Amino acid sequence: MSFLEDVVTGLSLPQKALPPKYFYDDAGSRLFERICRLPEYYLTRAELELTRKHLASITRFARKGCELLEYGSGESLKTRLLIRALRPRIYLPVDISVSALEQAAKRLVREFPWLHVVPVAADFSRSLDLPAAQGPRVAYFPGSTIGNLTPEEAHGFLARGRAHAGHMLIGTDLKKDANVLHAAYNDSRGVTAAFNLNLLARINRDLGADFDPRRFSHYAFYNAPCSRIEMHLVSLREQDVRIGAHRFSFARGESIHTENSYKYSVEEFRALAAAAGFEGKKTWTDRKGLFALHGLTAT
Ligand code: AVJ
């Protein structure tokens, strides 16, 4: 489906919704990098800390010289730590953005001249066509990106991933005090709000729509029964928005649901992985128990 089709489909639902993968245009990617440096957004720092602390054990699990598949373009510090320690015989970053892939690949080859990088331009939420593995392959999915998927979708993603890799390293955000979660998605500088609202600016830019972002406000809360942060854009008044030939009406207070960010206990995520054909062999966490990295093996 195209961006336009996804937007029209999402805004036609009774609960209007937009897929979070569209947050990441150039402006959105820059805003996300700023989110990762916010004092309230503990996820990035906690995952980096646990990766540093447990690097030797993670390397023993994944095995030196494996093929490393990463869902995401591999721009992060964590990926470089992993590459340095694992010395993978081939590194396959998978990303929808061809430009992000090319830039990241160039940078990695400069830093690791011995590294054989094979970028794969694809949407990992669908099925993937990958070059055949020559040896053991490990899939790396850091950052709690899997939290954007519903548990059913995450199950499908893991079950499909079984065809690509015998081992997986998956980063998941852990359940914790709802106040800590709330602050991480409602930062005092308003960067997360700008990130959320940028989606409307992007729809204007790319699809010629006439959203007025000033007439919407960022709303994020922890939905405890569903174990997820929900992000919404709330219409501040009754209004109509045009996208090409389409027109969408908003009541005052009506929202567009823009993102879910699921939080799993260690046991919950292991049960989900088990149902998809993976045994949770290892779980590494940071000192404060905020974030987890799961080492899974296909059963
Ligand atoms: C990149 C999906 C892990 O859910 O925490 C950050 C995205 N949204 N702040 C997350 C995000 C709002 C992030 N993930």
Side-chain angles (χ1 to χ4, degrees):
M1 271 220 278
S2 69
F3 185 26
L4 177 64
E5 287 172 316
D6 279 339
V7 169
V8 168
T9 303
L11 294 183
S12 303
L13 296 169
Q15 166 64 69
K16 294 179 170 68
L18 292 168
K21 66 179 175 190
Y22 294 117
F23 280 134
Y24 303 93
D25 65 348
D26 287 344
S29 300
R30 275 198 301 275
L31 286 165
F32 181 64
E33 280 167 29
R34 280 181 65 197
I35 289 176
C36 292
R37 293 193 296 267
L38 291 169
E40 295 99 330
Y41 196 76
Y42 58 85
L43 290 82
T44 314
R45 281 184 302 280
E47 190 177 32
L48 183 60
E49 181 206 306
L50 76 86
T51 306
R52 284 211 167 99
K53 184 167 84 174
H54 301 291
L55 194 56
S57 167
I58 296 166
T59 303
R60 278 195 299 279
F61 172 81
R63 305 261 174 88
K64 272 199 179 154
C66 63
E67 296 189 6
L68 185 62
L69 171 71
E70 179 169 1
Y71 303 107
S73 64
E75 293 220 81
S76 72
L77 210 48
K78 297 162 299 212
T79 300
R80 303 213 289 277
L81 285 174
L82 211 58
I83 289 174
R84 195 168 303 133
L86 272 177
R87 288 209 146 240
R89 58 168 298 280
I90 177 170
Y91 172 66
L92 307 115
V94 180
D95 203 280
I96 9 176
S97 160
V98 177
S99 68
L101 273 173
E102 281 171 357
Q103 279 179 26
K106 247 188 237 160
R107 234 175 292 162
L108 283 174
V109 170
R110 218 175 299 139
E111 190 172 345
F112 306 108
W114 47 267
L115 186 64
H116 183 32
V117 183
V118 180
V120 181
D123 180 351
F124 57 70
S125 60
R126 318 250 166 87
S127 50
L128 277 183
D129 234 347
L130 291 174
Q134 320 277 210
R137 192 176 268 175
V138 180
Y140 185 42
F141 198 30
S144 187
T145 308
I146 200 167
N148 272 173
L149 307 180
T150 64
E152 296 71 35
E153 291 164 342
H155 174 279
F157 169 80
L158 292 171
R160 274 183 278 119
R162 241 174 138 275
H164 302 310
H167 296 268
M168 289 211 177
L169 291 167
I170 312 241
T172 61
D173 195 16
L174 288 163
K175 286 195 165 155
K176 59 183 62 66
D177 180 351
N179 293 295
V180 175
L181 291 171
H182 189 270
Y185 295 84
N186 290 278
D187 65 278
S188 61
R189 292 168 178 78
V191 184
T192 309
F195 173 73
N196 199 5
L197 285 159
N198 176 61
L199 191 49
L200 302 182
R202 178 183 187 181
I203 293 171
N204 286 347
R205 271 195 303 275
D206 293 359
L207 304 177
D210 67 351
F211 274 107
D212 181 349
R214 289 166 305 187
R215 293 183 180 175
F216 287 85
S217 79
H218 166 71
Y219 178 56
F221 67 99
Y222 185 57
N223 178 339
C226 296
S227 306
R228 68 191 191 203
I229 288 280
E230 291 186 20
M231 292 216 308
H232 294 256
L233 289 164
V234 179
S235 176
L236 294 173
R237 51 154 101 173
E238 193 179 313
Q239 57 183 320
D240 284 350
V241 174
R242 252 173 222 291
I243 307 176
H246 304 270
R247 218 183 72 188
F248 299 97
S249 300
F250 291 83
R252 183 176 180 195
E254 185 180 358
S255 81
I256 311 172
H257 186 179
T258 53
E259 186 174 48
N260 287 320
S261 192
Y262 281 85
K263 312 300 170 186
Y264 293 98
S265 70
V266 169
E267 299 70 31
E268 284 167 342
F269 190 75
R270 284 189 169 198
L272 176 70
F278 281 97
E279 187 187 347
K281 288 262 186 195
K282 286 274 186 185
T283 303
W284 301 276
T285 64
D286 59 295
R287 246 177 323 124
K288 291 184 189 151
L290 298 171
F291 200 92
L293 182 69
H294 290 269
L296 310 178
T297 303
T299 51

